[in-house]
Amino acid sequence: MRTWTLCLAGLLCVLSATPTAATFVAPGPTGTLNICYFFLGGPDDLGWTFSYNLARLRTHDALVAKYPGATFNSWLYKNFHEVKPEASFDTISLFIAQKQCQVVVHNSFFLFGWPDSEESKVVDAFPSVLFILLNSFRTGETQRPNVLWFGYNTEPGYFIAGAAAAAQASDCIAYITPYPSHYTGFGHGVRFINQTKKVHVILMGRWGWEGGEEDMADIFLGMGCDIIAPYSDRRGVNVHVPKMSKTAMTVGSHSDLQQYVGDTVLTSVYAKWEKLFLPQMESILINGTFDNSTFPHMFGTKSGVVTT
């Protein structure tokens, strides 16, 4: 079994490298469950992290209401992207020790994922802590009994958004995305409604390019496009477009931007993560194990996790 000591620098050190099996003990309906969330960004981005944090809060409220005899603590470490890779193991380990985390939820698709990464070492170092990794789909990850992977398929949601954009657009559509892989569902949706509608796909090459995406939207507004569909994590384009055009609309991503921006957002594609969080936390509280009834844990529109 691994043993720990506190270094003089205030960081946790591993004294033994021998892996052990998970030894999580169910707190029960009158026990205490400490849930720690590590989010790459800040919860006010109205994007990925905002939706994750909204699910965190909704899950906490639902657990408190259903199990009044239990104590639930929900701890948040935000802006994890600011932590240098070489410091991530110590940062996560110290937070887990300080908050006495029993469950760790992380919303990065690459953290904890690589076999030799500093983050993946945390999973091995805390065998009695259960780790839920979001936005990741790795059915082959079976060697660590204290890890649960969640993935979600947005393609059906973006198909619906693309169909709505094609039905609304009088001229062309601009789809602004950091990576080409996210366009498939949207493009099929457009073509399902209109085989000839012009769709301009702009690959930005980076996530959340502040200012750059707005500039790109201006170019295509000037070309007559009246639907602008940004994919990345910021709402900047969705706010900017109605300032520049009285008729153009946008497509929102990662949160309900119709609610948070207004009617100029034609539709939004986002995930209701609480539909995944809540059954897992209940199973951990009562049974001390993950709920694997939905294995391989890939979710989309049919499950109600992805919505528009």
Side-chain angles (χ1 to χ4, degrees):
M1 179 178 294
R2 292 182 185 270
T3 57
W4 295 85
T5 186
L6 192 64
C7 298
L8 293 178
L11 302 178
L12 290 172
C13 299
V14 182
L15 297 184
S16 170
T18 305
T20 59
T23 55
F24 186 87
V25 178
T30 59
T32 298
L33 187 62
N34 295 321
I35 309 170
C36 298
Y37 295 81
F38 288 85
F39 290 158
L40 277 181
D44 58 350
D45 64 359
L46 282 185
W48 278 103
T49 308
F50 176 84
S51 292
Y52 287 131
N53 192 57
L54 188 61
R56 176 182 75 91
L57 297 174
R58 288 173 174 171
T59 299
H60 180 82
D61 290 344
L63 288 170
V64 169
K66 188 170 182 178
Y67 301 98
T71 300
F72 300 98
N73 293 310
S74 178
W75 306 106
L76 174 61
Y77 191 108
K78 61 183 180 179
N79 293 318
F80 191 81
H81 71 279
E82 297 177 354
V83 177
K84 294 181 179 179
E86 61 270 20
S88 58
F89 175 84
D90 292 329
T91 300
I92 297 173
S93 299
L94 185 60
F95 193 83
I96 290 175
Q98 288 176 335
K99 302 301 184 183
Q100 299 182 16
C101 308
Q102 295 158 286
V103 183
V104 170
V105 181
H106 207 308
N107 73 329
S108 169
F109 67 91
F110 61 89
L111 294 178
F112 293 104
W114 309 117
D116 297 325
S117 71
E118 290 298 298
E119 293 82 8
S120 67
K121 295 175 184 177
V122 176
V123 174
D124 292 329
F126 290 91
S128 61
V129 175
L130 300 181
F131 293 84
I132 298 176
L133 309 183
L134 305 175
N135 193 32
S136 302
F137 183 55
R138 302 184 182 219
T139 56
E141 178 63 60
T142 58
Q143 297 182 358
R144 295 185 175 98
N146 58 330
V147 175
L148 179 69
W149 296 88
F150 274 141
Y152 85 135
N153 179 15
T154 61
E155 297 299 333
Y158 278 98
F159 180 93
I160 296 171
Q168 176 69 25
S170 59
D171 197 337
C172 56
I173 300 169
Y175 187 86
I176 304 172
T177 179
Y179 316 116
S181 58
H182 300 305
Y183 170 70
T184 307
F186 187 87
H188 283 307
V190 172
R191 290 291 169 256
F192 181 78
I193 297 297
N194 191 313
Q195 292 290 319
T196 60
K197 184 74 67 177
K198 293 180 182 178
V199 182
H200 302 279
V201 181
I202 304 96
L203 301 180
M204 300 299 289
R206 56 187 291 185
W207 186 268
W209 186 351
E210 185 173 359
E213 294 180 346
E214 287 87 339
D215 291 343
M216 196 60 64
D218 286 343
I219 292 173
F220 287 93
L221 287 172
M223 293 171 57
C225 295
D226 52 359
I227 296 291
I228 309 295
Y231 180 83
S232 66
D233 211 16
R234 298 173 52 254
R235 64 187 183 279
V237 174
N238 302 92
V239 174
H240 177 75
V241 167
K243 294 179 180 178
M244 306 304 295
S245 170
K246 294 182 179 180
T247 58
M249 302 186 75
T250 64
V251 172
S253 287
H254 314 312
S255 69
D256 185 4
L257 291 182
Q258 285 180 310
Q259 177 180 350
Y260 303 114
V261 174
D263 293 339
T264 55
V265 178
L266 177 64
T267 187
S268 295
V269 183
Y270 59 99
K272 295 182 177 180
W273 289 102
E274 63 271 18
K275 289 181 176 289
L276 304 184
F277 289 177
L278 185 57
Q280 292 300 330
M281 299 310 173
E282 287 191 84
S283 180
I284 291 168
L285 176 72
I286 303 302
N287 304 316
T289 60
F290 295 123
D291 176 6
N292 279 307
S293 63
T294 58
F295 185 84
H297 309 303
M298 172 62 82
F299 302 90
T301 52
K302 288 185 178 179
S303 64
V305 173
V306 177
T307 188
T308 57

PDB file of all heavy atoms in Angstrom, residues 235-252:
ATOM      1  N   ARG A 235     -18.447  33.124 -25.722  1.00  0.00           N
ATOM      2  CA  ARG A 235     -19.708  33.629 -26.245  1.00  0.00           C
ATOM      3  C   ARG A 235     -19.507  34.936 -27.010  1.00  0.00           C
ATOM      4  O   ARG A 235     -20.460  35.590 -27.406  1.00  0.00           O
ATOM      5  CB  ARG A 235     -20.703  33.875 -25.112  1.00  0.00           C
ATOM      6  CG  ARG A 235     -20.272  34.965 -24.127  1.00  0.00           C
ATOM      7  CD  ARG A 235     -21.214  35.047 -22.952  1.00  0.00           C
ATOM      8  NE  ARG A 235     -20.889  36.123 -22.025  1.00  0.00           N
ATOM      9  CZ  ARG A 235     -19.959  36.064 -21.094  1.00  0.00           C
ATOM     10  NH1 ARG A 235     -19.227  34.981 -20.978  1.00  0.00           N
ATOM     11  NH2 ARG A 235     -19.746  37.088 -20.289  1.00  0.00           N
ATOM     12  N   GLY A 236     -18.232  35.325 -27.196  1.00  0.00           N
ATOM     13  CA  GLY A 236     -17.929  36.613 -27.808  1.00  0.00           C
ATOM     14  C   GLY A 236     -18.590  36.814 -29.161  1.00  0.00           C
ATOM     15  O   GLY A 236     -19.153  37.873 -29.448  1.00  0.00           O
ATOM     16  N   VAL A 237     -18.541  35.799 -30.027  1.00  0.00           N
ATOM     17  CA  VAL A 237     -19.146  35.914 -31.348  1.00  0.00           C
ATOM     18  C   VAL A 237     -20.655  36.051 -31.238  1.00  0.00           C
ATOM     19  O   VAL A 237     -21.284  36.834 -31.950  1.00  0.00           O
ATOM     20  CB  VAL A 237     -18.771  34.704 -32.225  1.00  0.00           C
ATOM     21  CG1 VAL A 237     -19.521  34.738 -33.549  1.00  0.00           C
ATOM     22  CG2 VAL A 237     -17.267  34.673 -32.474  1.00  0.00           C
ATOM     23  N   ASN A 238     -21.257  35.296 -30.325  1.00  0.00           N
ATOM     24  CA  ASN A 238     -22.706  35.334 -30.161  1.00  0.00           C
ATOM     25  C   ASN A 238     -23.184  36.703 -29.688  1.00  0.00           C
ATOM     26  O   ASN A 238     -24.284  37.143 -30.029  1.00  0.00           O
ATOM     27  CB  ASN A 238     -23.157  34.256 -29.185  1.00  0.00           C
ATOM     28  CG  ASN A 238     -22.747  32.871 -29.624  1.00  0.00           C
ATOM     29  OD1 ASN A 238     -21.675  32.392 -29.245  1.00  0.00           O
ATOM     30  ND2 ASN A 238     -23.561  32.220 -30.424  1.00  0.00           N
ATOM     31  N   VAL A 239     -22.373  37.387 -28.907  1.00  0.00           N
ATOM     32  CA  VAL A 239     -22.701  38.737 -28.447  1.00  0.00           C
ATOM     33  C   VAL A 239     -22.378  39.765 -29.530  1.00  0.00           C
ATOM     34  O   VAL A 239     -23.096  40.758 -29.711  1.00  0.00           O
ATOM     35  CB  VAL A 239     -21.933  39.063 -27.147  1.00  0.00           C
ATOM     36  CG1 VAL A 239     -22.144  40.513 -26.735  1.00  0.00           C
ATOM     37  CG2 VAL A 239     -22.366  38.119 -26.026  1.00  0.00           C
ATOM     38  N   HIS A 240     -21.305  39.523 -30.268  1.00  0.00           N
ATOM     39  CA  HIS A 240     -20.818  40.488 -31.251  1.00  0.00           C
ATOM     40  C   HIS A 240     -21.724  40.600 -32.481  1.00  0.00           C
ATOM     41  O   HIS A 240     -21.982  41.709 -32.956  1.00  0.00           O
ATOM     42  CB  HIS A 240     -19.401  40.082 -31.686  1.00  0.00           C
ATOM     43  CG  HIS A 240     -18.812  40.937 -32.749  1.00  0.00           C
ATOM     44  ND1 HIS A 240     -18.335  42.206 -32.512  1.00  0.00           N
ATOM     45  CD2 HIS A 240     -18.631  40.703 -34.087  1.00  0.00           C
ATOM     46  CE1 HIS A 240     -17.873  42.726 -33.637  1.00  0.00           C
ATOM     47  NE2 HIS A 240     -18.039  41.838 -34.601  1.00  0.00           N
ATOM     48  N   VAL A 241     -22.178  39.470 -32.987  1.00  0.00           N
ATOM     49  CA  VAL A 241     -22.923  39.457 -34.256  1.00  0.00           C
ATOM     50  C   VAL A 241     -24.154  40.359 -34.235  1.00  0.00           C
ATOM     51  O   VAL A 241     -24.355  41.157 -35.162  1.00  0.00           O
ATOM     52  CB  VAL A 241     -23.287  38.012 -34.656  1.00  0.00           C
ATOM     53  CG1 VAL A 241     -24.333  37.989 -35.780  1.00  0.00           C
ATOM     54  CG2 VAL A 241     -22.031  37.268 -35.097  1.00  0.00           C
ATOM     55  N   PRO A 242     -25.028  40.292 -33.229  1.00  0.00           N
ATOM     56  CA  PRO A 242     -26.199  41.175 -33.256  1.00  0.00           C
ATOM     57  C   PRO A 242     -25.857  42.660 -33.163  1.00  0.00           C
ATOM     58  O   PRO A 242     -26.673  43.508 -33.534  1.00  0.00           O
ATOM     59  CB  PRO A 242     -27.024  40.719 -32.052  1.00  0.00           C
ATOM     60  CG  PRO A 242     -26.098  39.968 -31.189  1.00  0.00           C
ATOM     61  CD  PRO A 242     -25.091  39.359 -32.099  1.00  0.00           C
ATOM     62  N   LYS A 243     -24.658  42.978 -32.701  1.00  0.00           N
ATOM     63  CA  LYS A 243     -24.226  44.376 -32.685  1.00  0.00           C
ATOM     64  C   LYS A 243     -23.876  44.859 -34.088  1.00  0.00           C
ATOM     65  O   LYS A 243     -23.953  46.060 -34.378  1.00  0.00           O
ATOM     66  CB  LYS A 243     -23.012  44.546 -31.766  1.00  0.00           C
ATOM     67  CG  LYS A 243     -23.294  44.296 -30.293  1.00  0.00           C
ATOM     68  CD  LYS A 243     -22.020  44.469 -29.469  1.00  0.00           C
ATOM     69  CE  LYS A 243     -22.290  44.207 -27.984  1.00  0.00           C
ATOM     70  NZ  LYS A 243     -21.036  44.332 -27.179  1.00  0.00           N
ATOM     71  N   MET A 244     -23.479  43.907 -34.945  1.00  0.00           N
ATOM     72  CA  MET A 244     -23.036  44.253 -36.285  1.00  0.00           C
ATOM     73  C   MET A 244     -24.114  44.065 -37.344  1.00  0.00           C
ATOM     74  O   MET A 244     -23.994  44.574 -38.459  1.00  0.00           O
ATOM     75  CB  MET A 244     -21.810  43.398 -36.656  1.00  0.00           C
ATOM     76  CG  MET A 244     -20.674  43.465 -35.644  1.00  0.00           C
ATOM     77  SD  MET A 244     -20.095  45.162 -35.338  1.00  0.00           S
ATOM     78  CE  MET A 244     -19.430  45.558 -36.956  1.00  0.00           C
ATOM     79  N   SER A 245     -25.155  43.309 -37.031  1.00  0.00           N
ATOM     80  CA  SER A 245     -26.206  43.029 -38.011  1.00  0.00           C
ATOM     81  C   SER A 245     -27.553  42.924 -37.312  1.00  0.00           C
ATOM     82  O   SER A 245     -27.655  42.306 -36.240  1.00  0.00           O
ATOM     83  CB  SER A 245     -25.902  41.720 -38.749  1.00  0.00           C
ATOM     84  OG  SER A 245     -26.999  41.314 -39.540  1.00  0.00           O
ATOM     85  N   LYS A 246     -28.566  43.501 -37.911  1.00  0.00           N
ATOM     86  CA  LYS A 246     -29.910  43.447 -37.346  1.00  0.00           C
ATOM     87  C   LYS A 246     -30.658  42.182 -37.749  1.00  0.00           C
ATOM     88  O   LYS A 246     -31.719  41.885 -37.197  1.00  0.00           O
ATOM     89  CB  LYS A 246     -30.713  44.675 -37.782  1.00  0.00           C
ATOM     90  CG  LYS A 246     -30.185  45.988 -37.225  1.00  0.00           C
ATOM     91  CD  LYS A 246     -31.062  47.162 -37.660  1.00  0.00           C
ATOM     92  CE  LYS A 246     -30.550  48.469 -37.073  1.00  0.00           C
ATOM     93  NZ  LYS A 246     -31.392  49.631 -37.491  1.00  0.00           N
ATOM     94  N   THR A 247     -30.125  41.442 -38.702  1.00  0.00           N
ATOM     95  CA  THR A 247     -30.835  40.262 -39.208  1.00  0.00           C
ATOM     96  C   THR A 247     -30.093  38.955 -38.972  1.00  0.00           C
ATOM     97  O   THR A 247     -30.712  37.891 -38.969  1.00  0.00           O
ATOM     98  CB  THR A 247     -31.101  40.416 -40.711  1.00  0.00           C
ATOM     99  OG1 THR A 247     -29.850  40.598 -41.404  1.00  0.00           O
ATOM    100  CG2 THR A 247     -32.007  41.615 -40.976  1.00  0.00           C
ATOM    101  N   ALA A 248     -28.789  39.008 -38.800  1.00  0.00           N
ATOM    102  CA  ALA A 248     -28.015  37.774 -38.652  1.00  0.00           C
ATOM    103  C   ALA A 248     -28.274  37.132 -37.297  1.00  0.00           C
ATOM    104  O   ALA A 248     -28.601  37.799 -36.309  1.00  0.00           O
ATOM    105  CB  ALA A 248     -26.526  38.058 -38.818  1.00  0.00           C
ATOM    106  N   MET A 249     -28.125  35.809 -37.257  1.00  0.00           N
ATOM    107  CA  MET A 249     -28.276  35.044 -36.028  1.00  0.00           C
ATOM    108  C   MET A 249     -27.052  34.157 -35.841  1.00  0.00           C
ATOM    109  O   MET A 249     -26.237  33.981 -36.760  1.00  0.00           O
ATOM    110  CB  MET A 249     -29.558  34.196 -36.068  1.00  0.00           C
ATOM    111  CG  MET A 249     -30.830  34.997 -36.280  1.00  0.00           C
ATOM    112  SD  MET A 249     -32.326  33.988 -36.153  1.00  0.00           S
ATOM    113  CE  MET A 249     -32.406  33.749 -34.368  1.00  0.00           C
ATOM    114  N   THR A 250     -26.929  33.607 -34.650  1.00  0.00           N
ATOM    115  CA  THR A 250     -25.801  32.734 -34.359  1.00  0.00           C
ATOM    116  C   THR A 250     -26.288  31.389 -33.837  1.00  0.00           C
ATOM    117  O   THR A 250     -27.451  31.222 -33.457  1.00  0.00           O
ATOM    118  CB  THR A 250     -24.864  33.357 -33.300  1.00  0.00           C
ATOM    119  OG1 THR A 250     -25.580  33.496 -32.065  1.00  0.00           O
ATOM    120  CG2 THR A 250     -24.350  34.706 -33.758  1.00  0.00           C
ATOM    121  N   VAL A 251     -25.373  30.435 -33.818  1.00  0.00           N
ATOM    122  CA  VAL A 251     -25.601  29.134 -33.175  1.00  0.00           C
ATOM    123  C   VAL A 251     -24.707  29.079 -31.944  1.00  0.00           C
ATOM    124  O   VAL A 251     -23.517  29.417 -32.010  1.00  0.00           O
ATOM    125  CB  VAL A 251     -25.278  27.975 -34.133  1.00  0.00           C
ATOM    126  CG1 VAL A 251     -25.334  26.629 -33.399  1.00  0.00           C
ATOM    127  CG2 VAL A 251     -26.243  27.976 -35.319  1.00  0.00           C
ATOM    128  N   GLY A 252     -25.254  28.699 -30.811  1.00  0.00           N
ATOM    129  CA  GLY A 252     -24.489  28.636 -29.574  1.00  0.00           C
ATOM    130  C   GLY A 252     -23.899  27.259 -29.334  1.00  0.00           C
ATOM    131  O   GLY A 252     -24.418  26.250 -29.824  1.00  0.00           O
TER     132      GLY A 252
END
